[in-house]
Amino acid sequence: MRKENIGIEQYNSCNLCPRNCKVDRGFQKGYCRVGDKIKVARAALHMWEEPCISASSGSGTVFFSGCTMGCVFCQNKEISRGEAGKEISMERLVDIFFELADKGANNINLVTGDMFIPSIRVAIEVARNRGIRIPFLLNTSSYLRVDSVRSLDGLIDIYLPDMKYIRDEDAVRYSSARDYVDICKNAIEEMVNQQPKCEFITNAKGENIIKKGVIVRHLLMPGMLIQAKMIVRYLHERYGDDIYISLMNQYTPGSQLEKYPEINRRVTQREYDSLVNYAAQIGVTNGFMQVGETACDSFIPVFDLEGV
């Protein structure tokens, strides 16, 4: 007989994500490649998020194993395929939150925790009851059911969703994610409903630190400049200055892309500059851009169970 954990019943016939695979994750892995036990590959201060998230103290990132997507270009294959990581208890996850807070983290950054939302929900409640005071941030692909996002209302202070595509044919080809566009739009809509305005504080070092709100990321991919501009336009027309838009140029191709020659290269500076200039031209003022050499392996963390 399997030992039941708090909130585990939602894993029994899992439909947390749009895959709706309905497997009993206590006995077999879902499409996400993980079971019902929380699995974490790294928990450490991270300095490479947007400035208002990391600042000089760092973001307290918890990298979960598994993923609801299937991106052929994934930079974190070790964990997204569920290969790296260690199964931990709910109590250990709560302790990790406090350990990161004690190290000075600006927030608790739940990276790709979509598969463990029932467990995360309870862990946040326990941590808050025990007195944790820093914000919780959900760092997500946006391939989430609205019900799953809604279940986090009042628990997540900052949402950091991706908007990877605005053309479903690309979502299917590169991420095996049918209906990604509508699902992503609906998930982000619920996130903004929960956190309709970005709020910041200024710390003792004069840094602006986000406390509440939504920052939508888009990773520019080679040959997809038009799609990227369509995404920026959609977000700006729909949400205006209520959200921030983060435009990323760190796409890093790997050896697994031999079958996808059209995206088997890095993004050029000219492509990225064109996207940033377009965002400015249509009136985006709340945004982030990347500078310098970000498309390199040094920006990918080592998933060596640090802090787990």
Side-chain angles (χ1 to χ4, degrees):
M1 178 72 70
R2 176 180 63 186
K3 180 181 179 181
E4 295 292 319
N5 293 319
I6 298 173
I8 203 173
E9 64 276 359
Q10 286 190 267
Y11 300 129
N12 292 352
S13 179
C14 192
N15 64 351
L16 289 170
C17 85
R19 304 289 181 185
N20 201 30
C21 59
K22 293 186 178 179
V23 304
D24 185 340
R25 286 171 53 193
F27 295 96
Q28 67 180 99
K29 296 177 181 178
Y31 183 95
C32 56
R33 300 176 178 84
V34 286
D36 64 353
K37 303 298 187 295
I38 303 164
K39 192 172 183 180
V40 175
R42 178 181 171 88
L45 295 178
H46 193 58
M47 304 299 179
W48 303 329
E49 305 286 37
E50 285 75 5
C52 65
I53 295 174
S54 287
S56 58
S57 298
S59 177
T61 49
V62 182
F63 286 89
F64 293 88
S65 300
C67 185
T68 64
M69 299 283 280
C71 302
V72 298
F73 51 85
C74 181
Q75 297 179 22
N76 295 339
K77 296 185 296 297
E78 292 176 73
I79 59 171
S80 67
R81 305 300 187 250
E83 296 168 359
K86 176 183 177 183
E87 290 184 352
I88 62 172
S89 66
M90 182 90 66
E91 293 76 14
R92 177 59 192 144
L93 181 60
V94 174
D95 287 343
I96 286 172
F97 293 164
F98 279 92
E99 289 165 9
L100 292 170
D102 289 344
K103 291 178 181 178
N106 292 310
N107 44 67
I108 301 298
N109 187 342
L110 306 165
V111 184
T112 320
D114 304 7
M115 306 76 54
F116 298 111
I117 281 178
S119 304
I120 285 171
R121 192 168 59 233
V122 177
I124 293 174
E125 291 172 346
V126 171
R128 286 197 168 149
N129 288 336
R130 282 176 48 185
I132 201 164
R133 292 290 176 263
I134 59 177
F136 282 86
L137 182 158
L138 186 71
N139 189 330
T140 172
S141 69
S142 303
Y143 200 52
L144 277 170
R145 292 182 59 211
V146 170
D147 287 349
S148 294
V149 183
R150 194 171 290 135
S151 74
L152 294 166
D153 193 5
L155 298 173
I156 297 297
D157 304 284
I158 305 158
Y159 283 102
L160 187 61
D162 290 338
M163 189 167 187
K164 296 179 181 292
Y165 310 102
I166 205 164
R167 297 189 299 228
D168 270 321
E169 58 267 32
D170 290 330
V172 170
R173 175 164 172 76
Y174 302 118
S175 297
S176 301
R178 194 169 301 280
D179 300 323
Y180 174 87
V181 176
D182 285 342
I183 289 165
C184 173
K185 286 180 177 180
N186 291 337
I188 292 174
E189 185 85 14
E190 174 60 25
M191 295 173 196
V192 178
N193 286 341
Q194 292 179 25
Q195 299 295 347
K197 295 285 185 181
C198 291
E199 299 178 14
F200 300 82
I201 64 165
T202 303
N203 65 13
K205 298 178 182 179
E207 300 168 322
N208 288 328
I209 308 297
I210 189 167
K211 289 298 181 183
K212 289 182 178 294
V214 177
I215 301 174
V216 182
R217 285 174 164 176
H218 175 66
L219 174 66
L220 178 61
M221 293 177 59
M224 298 191 188
L225 179 58
I226 292 175
Q227 176 166 226
K229 291 179 178 179
M230 291 169 63
I231 288 172
V232 171
R233 177 172 287 279
Y234 166 77
L235 291 170
H236 184 60
E237 290 181 347
R238 179 69 188 87
Y239 300 109
D241 292 334
D242 292 341
I243 67 168
Y244 275 68
I245 301 174
S246 182
L247 301 176
M248 307 172 73
N249 68 350
Q250 66 190 55
Y251 178 81
T252 307
S255 58
Q256 77 275 22
L257 292 177
E258 292 180 358
K259 296 180 180 179
Y260 306 90
E262 71 277 15
I263 60 169
N264 194 13
R265 66 170 176 85
R266 293 184 179 181
V267 170
T268 68
Q269 188 63 47
R270 184 175 180 178
E271 288 172 315
Y272 185 64
D273 288 345
S274 178
L275 177 59
V276 171
N277 291 337
Y278 176 78
Q281 288 167 8
I282 65 172
V284 175
T285 56
N286 290 348
F288 298 98
M289 59 179 290
Q290 292 183 317
V291 295
E293 184 56 62
T294 56
C296 58
D297 292 340
S298 63
F299 280 80
I300 301 172
V302 176
F303 301 113
D304 57 359
L305 301 182
E306 178 181 352
V308 179

